[in-house]
Amino acid sequence: MSAKNTAQPKNPAFDYTKYRPFAFAPKITNRTWCDKTITKAPIWTSVDLRDGNQALIEPMSIEQKMRFFKTLVDVGFKEIEIGFPSAAQVEYDFTRQLIEGGHVPDDVTLQVLVQAREHLIRRTFESLKGARRAIVHVYNSTSKVQRDKVYQKNYDEITEIAVQGATFLRDLAKEYPETEWVFEYSPESFSQTETDFAVSVCDAVCQVWRPDLGQQVIFNLPSTVESSTPNVYADQVEYFCQNLPMRKHVIVSLHTHNDRGCAVAASELGLMAGADRIEGTLFGNGERTGNMDIMVMAMNMYSQGVNPELDFSNMSEIAQVVSECNQLPIHPRHPYVGELVFTAFSGSHQDAIKKSLDFNEKHSEETQGVWDVAYLPIDPAHIGRGYQDVVRINSQSGKGGVAYILQRDFGFNLPRWTQIDFSRVVQNEAESRQTELTSDDIITIFEKTYLQQNTLALQNYQINNDENEVTFNGKIVKNGETLAINGKGNGVLSAFVAGVSEQLGKNIHVINYAEHALTQNDVTSTDANAVSYLQLNVDGEIYSGIGTCSSTVSAMLKATLSALAQAGV
């Protein structure tokens, strides 16, 4: 049995007894959401320009809003909440500019937010004059804490506020018959409202709007403050869907926040629980810990083979617009978009990635193009990210990562035994520098270690092929001294090694040899098109060498001298 943690907090103010378990979970015994999966995209609604904007230290200018709006359209949003036009002149002006300037595509619907107060609703309808189609989103808070402590009103009084707001919307919309109106109502703080009361309030709104007679209606169920585990929120949503009398005539929408770090999970489970529509922001900007991140939820679907109906193929450009307009950085570990999310520093991870990619390339017919790579949930290239993001080298990296970079960036396909040898060199360098090594650092170390040793050099040679034997006659330069190399063997390499062994007085044997064409030599400091890898046993010790040249034979001989230089002969 493990020991119980009895540590006491250093600060007595850190007192968990001040809190109580979540109290608003509905009693639901016939839940179905836990047996479902997400198979199609919901209706997506961006609230970046309203809910996201109100949470910024410096709210967006009209110019920034316009830039952001056009990005949302490019991504594929068909419903965009653009602001709170009754609350600020800049919001009103932006709404008018969108409509009067013809910036709203025919398949995009504007959405605006307003409190359930007549003069604010009237101002809202004025701002939308001339819109082809618009969603007017009215709300009032229904939670127990707000009823008791903020408004000090009972159930009936809170319900009356909702009914009055719904009535104002219904009546004022008739003054603008040129626009196709959609009515949306949020029992704000739905997550902290008794679910049966939320159903009751929304049913009262239904009696005013009459979706059963053709009025388009959305009921939005906000997790305004995330207060429970996602499964409880899913129960609340399913209870609502099961018990709202006019459920089949309305769209049920979700709007989750991230106070517990579970906004995406809550929306995913809520979608399984019966919701049709999702509100959120790109990259999760919003009050406190933020809104639900639509990009993450959409890409989660994408990674499961479900069409998200949003286009994030140009993720870096989208991220730049969002970051600049919000004036907020994007965390390097942010799912899908962060600088480091496809990066592996761990040696074992790098090795698994390299082997997976190699396998897929060699077995393309077998894999049929289906993405299945260790540690990479999606192909970075699908969202405009390069494979340069995948493997980066520090002191924790291993042979697989180093080999991957040399192959990807410079065309060197190191055999395993050379990978092991060179990874030790790289690790020592990374530990010495105490920093990450770049691709340029790796090739510099590689060339210095194997290709630019200056103790041994090949000068000239002649090869004679007899019927059963190869004779090598040539010269090498050792520390400025020219040495004659004469040897015989069953091949050029064995003849050269025999001659070198005799001249240097060393016991030398070839253990491993590999070669390949070097097709990416334009990115290295060499002008070679052939590379040879050699592993030698020199007086009982193992050394690796690499040689490059336009001639395969010369590359092989240079690799031998490279290994001998490692041996210090």
Side-chain angles (χ1 to χ4, degrees), residues 46-72 91 94 281-283 285-286 316-330:
S46 161
V47 297
D48 290 271
L49 300 176
R50 199 280 306 169
D51 207 357
N53 186 54
Q54 76 173 24
L56 298 177
I57 298 172
E58 295 183 19
M60 283 180 262
S61 65
I62 288 181
E63 292 74 18
Q64 288 172 318
K65 275 199 158 195
M66 186 64 73
R67 184 187 180 200
F68 208 131
F69 178 83
K70 291 179 178 178
T71 297
L72 294 171
E91 303 282 279
F94 177 61
T281 61
L282 293 183
F283 313 140
N285 175 50
S316 296
E317 184 175 316
I318 296 167
Q320 182 177 356
V321 171
V322 174
S323 181
E324 290 177 359
C325 290
N326 287 341
Q327 299 184 62
L328 290 172
I330 295 173

Side-chain angles (χ1 to χ4, degrees), residues 62 85 87-94 123:
I62 288 181
Q89 189 63 42
V90 67
E91 303 282 279
Y92 186 97
D93 292 344
F94 177 61
R123 176 74 167 166

Side-chain angles (χ1 to χ4, degrees), residues 294-370:
I294 282 186
M295 181 278 295
V296 169
M297 186 171 173
M299 290 305 300
N300 285 353
M301 294 181 190
Y302 179 88
S303 72
Q304 299 300 302
V306 176
N307 181 5
E309 299 179 12
L310 294 175
D311 182 3
F312 290 105
S313 59
N314 195 5
M315 188 73 79
S316 296
E317 184 175 316
I318 296 167
Q320 182 177 356
V321 171
V322 174
S323 181
E324 290 177 359
C325 290
N326 287 341
Q327 299 184 62
L328 290 172
I330 295 173
H331 196 282
R333 299 292 184 188
H334 193 109
Y336 299 105
V337 72
E339 179 187 357
L340 298 177
V341 296
F342 297 115
T343 300
F345 288 106
S346 162
S348 61
H349 291 200
Q350 293 171 348
D351 188 56
I353 290 170
K354 181 180 185 300
K355 288 176 179 175
S356 295
L357 292 171
D358 289 346
F359 182 93
N360 289 350
E361 184 176 353
K362 293 176 182 177
H363 301 82
S364 57
E365 292 186 7
E366 179 183 337
T367 60
Q368 297 182 333
V370 175

Side-chain angles (χ1 to χ4, degrees), residues 95-155:
T95 306
R96 295 310 308 152
Q97 185 171 324
L98 282 173
I99 297 170
E100 294 173 1
H103 299 293
V104 185
D106 289 342
D107 61 348
V108 172
T109 299
L110 301 182
Q111 176 174 310
V112 294
L113 187 70
V114 63
Q115 292 172 322
R117 299 168 66 184
E118 183 178 12
H119 71 287
L120 298 178
I121 295 173
R122 186 175 295 278
R123 176 74 167 166
T124 298
F125 275 99
E126 290 173 0
S127 75
L128 290 167
K129 184 177 181 179
R132 181 193 62 81
R133 185 175 188 267
I135 301 168
V136 181
H137 181 184
V138 65
Y139 70 96
N140 67 296
S141 189
T142 58
S143 68
K144 178 174 173 53
V145 66
Q146 297 246 33
R147 293 195 316 266
D148 293 350
K149 298 182 179 180
V150 179
Y151 298 108
Q152 298 181 22
K153 294 182 181 295
N154 60 30
Y155 291 123

Side-chain angles (χ1 to χ4, degrees), residues 466-487:
D466 295 331
E467 187 173 335
N468 299 314
E469 193 173 52
V470 174
T471 302
F472 181 94
N473 301 110
K475 296 178 181 179
I476 64 172
V477 178
K478 177 185 178 185
N479 295 325
E481 179 186 358
T482 300
L483 303 176
I485 304 297
N486 301 294

